Amino acid sequence: AAGTTKHSFTTTGYDLTGTLGVSGVVTANAGVVVDNITIDGTEIDLSSGDLTLDVAGDIVLDADGGDIKFTDGGTQFGRMTNNGTNLEVASVVSNSSLYLIPHGTGNIVAETDSFRISATEGESVELMLRTDEGDDNGDDWTITNSTSNTLTFNNDASGSAVAQITLTPNSTVASSTTAIAGNATIAGTLGVTGNLTTSAYNTFSVADNNTPLTLTSTDADANAGPFLDLWRNSSSPADS
């Protein structure tokens, strides 16, 4: 009886029905097409749908050039780079952001003894702490290291970020300043080793009959002291 034809030569090539067993090397300089996957030269193209790599072991990406690039429609938007044994994860589109988004209440954990945020040349650096999706005034706290080297703690309670605390360094540490825009509440003891200067009226309040103000001198000489001076620093004399 006549058998079923499993192969035939046509004007465009060779057709085979069944399995082709090849013990040597198959060379296809014009590419190989498997279903809707085309392998040709340095590319593997999928004409439609998603491509799944499902392996029993690990997936190893070995790029001797040091870069693993991510593109969309031929346009690069990100890369991973081996920079002198350091791993760089970069967003390469101009002024684009890099998001790390855990699911739900999941966390981003950095197990390190140092965490550095560096600004580009001429730019300040800012760390934002946002609560409740930042949809209300006051939700955003920012810590800003400006190019003038001041460190500010800012809040947007007024609708825009306003400095609440400003730290200004000085090469002479004793000349550095800390400015608090609003009120400061101190539940314990306030120790001042330098001079205390105020520019507004001051009220000392106590909840019982304790002494609200005590002046103590640790000087051991025989001179009188300490002193409390009340004086008016003005070019206009006070009323008599």
Side-chain angles (χ1 to χ4, degrees):
T4 302
T5 301
K6 293 187 176 181
H7 60 90
S8 62
F9 289 94
T10 68
T11 57
T12 58
Y14 175 74
D15 293 335
L16 172 67
T17 302
T19 301
L20 175 64
V22 181
S23 59
V25 176
V26 176
T27 301
N29 291 326
V32 176
V33 177
V34 181
D35 294 331
N36 62 337
I37 298 176
T38 300
I39 303 174
D40 190 7
T42 60
E43 290 188 11
I44 300 177
D45 297 321
L46 185 65
S47 61
S48 63
D50 300 327
L51 178 63
T52 300
L53 299 179
D54 189 355
V55 301
D58 299 324
I59 296 177
V60 179
L61 302 177
D62 190 349
D64 285 351
D67 293 316
I68 298 174
K69 301 178 181 180
F70 302 93
T71 64
D72 183 359
T75 301
Q76 184 181 350
F77 63 89
R79 64 173 170 79
M80 299 177 68
T81 299
N82 177 18
N83 183 4
T85 71
N86 295 316
L87 175 62
E88 292 182 358
V89 180
S91 177
V92 300
V93 178
S94 178
N95 297 322
S96 61
S97 300
L98 181 65
Y99 286 80
L100 300 176
I101 305 176
H103 186 273
T105 58
N107 299 316
I108 296 176
V109 179
E111 295 186 1
T112 178
D113 57 2
S114 177
F115 199 91
R116 181 176 63 190
I117 303 176
S118 298
T120 57
E121 178 65 26
E123 295 291 335
S124 299
V125 65
E126 183 175 276
L127 174 65
M128 176 178 286
L129 303 175
R130 169 171 287 175
T131 187
D132 191 30
E133 298 183 345
D135 52 2
D136 298 308
N137 290 347
D139 283 350
D140 291 348
W141 277 95
T142 55
I143 303 174
T144 303
N145 180 9
S146 70
T147 55
S148 61
N149 300 130
T150 59
L151 183 69
T152 58
F153 293 78
N154 318 284
N155 187 266
D156 67 340
S158 63
S160 59
V162 176
Q164 308 293 314
I165 302 175
T166 301
L167 307 178
T168 303
N170 191 286
S171 56
T172 303
V173 177
S175 297
S176 299
T177 62
T178 300
I180 301 176
N183 299 321
T185 301
I186 301 172
T189 299
L190 174 64
V192 180
T193 58
N195 296 324
L196 178 62
T197 302
T198 63
S199 58
Y201 67 88
N202 298 277
T203 301
F204 299 90
S205 300
V206 292
D208 51 26
N209 293 324
N210 292 333
T211 304
L213 178 63
T214 300
L215 303 179
T216 302
S217 174
T218 58
D219 196 341
D221 61 27
N223 297 324
F227 298 97
L228 176 63
D229 292 333
L230 303 176
W231 56 291
R232 179 173 179 173
N233 185 16
S234 173
S235 59
S236 300
D239 294 336
S240 55

